[in-house]
Amino acid sequence: MKRSREKAASELFAALYPRLAGWCRRLVDDDETAHEIASEAFTRLWARWTSVAEPHGFLYVTAANLVRDHWRKLERERRAMHRATTEAAVRPHGDHAEQADPSVRLLVQSLPERLRVPILLHYYADMPIREVSVLTGRKEGTVKADLHAARELLRAHLRRSLDHTR
């Protein structure tokens, strides 16, 4: 039994790790961090191997949460650096006034988890709505509604960002 469990885990790793690490790479824009996140997702899966009904979904949802944690850390570091630089110098006015960063990645990060996970799975992992539905345990109509709501929120944030930069 233990042998077949290890074989199944090994086969799953060989089949899914490259795709999961590549997906993480597109989200975090760093090879090392992407591999750390993908490896951690597999480590967490392995710890719960006998109780996880859908390993593929578990891996992607876990990786999405780890990516979100990474983004939060980067945002905290960015804010700390921003505070440090603005405290060290007098901020110029006019054309150099602070401009909002309409980074889509930061906007996706700011979405509530209910909306963020379907966005990450559908648009960043290229999963069809049916698969997102299975992985999240939500009906396809709910996934479509969540994707629509997320796109509307992202549109509104981008509009506000663009209005502030004019």
Side-chain angles (χ1 to χ4, degrees), residues 7 9 23 34 38 43 47 53 65 67 79 117 120 132 149 159 162-163:
K7 186 173 191 269
W23 179 67
T43 299
N65 289 332
V67 164
R79 279 195 213 123
V117 170
L120 291 174
V132 174
R159 264 191 222 108
L162 292 173
D163 289 345

Side-chain angles (χ1 to χ4, degrees), residues 93-110:
H93 298 287
D95 290 339
H96 302 295
E98 182 178 359
Q99 294 184 0
D101 178 11
S103 164
V104 173
R105 183 175 298 163
L106 291 174
L107 293 176
V108 169
Q109 172 192 347
S110 72

Side-chain angles (χ1 to χ4, degrees), residues 4-41:
S4 64
R5 178 180 170 222
E6 289 176 4
K7 186 173 191 269
S10 177
E11 288 171 356
L12 183 74
F13 183 85
L16 293 182
Y17 184 86
R19 184 174 174 206
L20 181 66
W23 179 67
C24 292
R25 170 68 176 85
R26 288 193 308 272
L27 294 172
V28 299
D29 205 27
D30 177 65
D31 286 333
E32 186 176 338
T33 303
H35 284 288
E36 286 174 11
I37 289 171
S39 296
E40 179 63 21

Side-chain angles (χ1 to χ4, degrees), residues 64-65 68 71-72 103-121 123-124 146-158 160:
N65 289 332
R68 179 202 60 219
W71 286 347
R72 284 181 177 163
S103 164
V104 173
R105 183 175 298 163
L106 291 174
L107 293 176
V108 169
Q109 172 192 347
S110 72
L111 291 172
E113 183 172 0
R114 176 182 66 82
L115 302 178
R116 184 180 57 253
V117 170
I119 288 283
L120 291 174
L121 295 175
Y123 290 108
Y124 288 87
D146 287 346
L147 289 170
H148 175 76
R151 286 191 304 268
E152 289 301 311
L153 279 173
L154 292 172
R155 256 187 221 108
H157 284 298
L158 285 170
R160 280 196 300 276

Side-chain angles (χ1 to χ4, degrees), residues 70-94:
H70 173 74
W71 286 347
R72 284 181 177 163
K73 178 183 171 212
L74 289 179
E75 180 61 16
R76 283 191 305 270
E77 290 170 356
R78 187 193 66 75
R79 279 195 213 123
M81 183 60 93
H82 179 74
R83 276 193 306 272
T85 55
T86 55
E87 288 170 8
V90 175
R91 188 163 197 79
H93 298 287

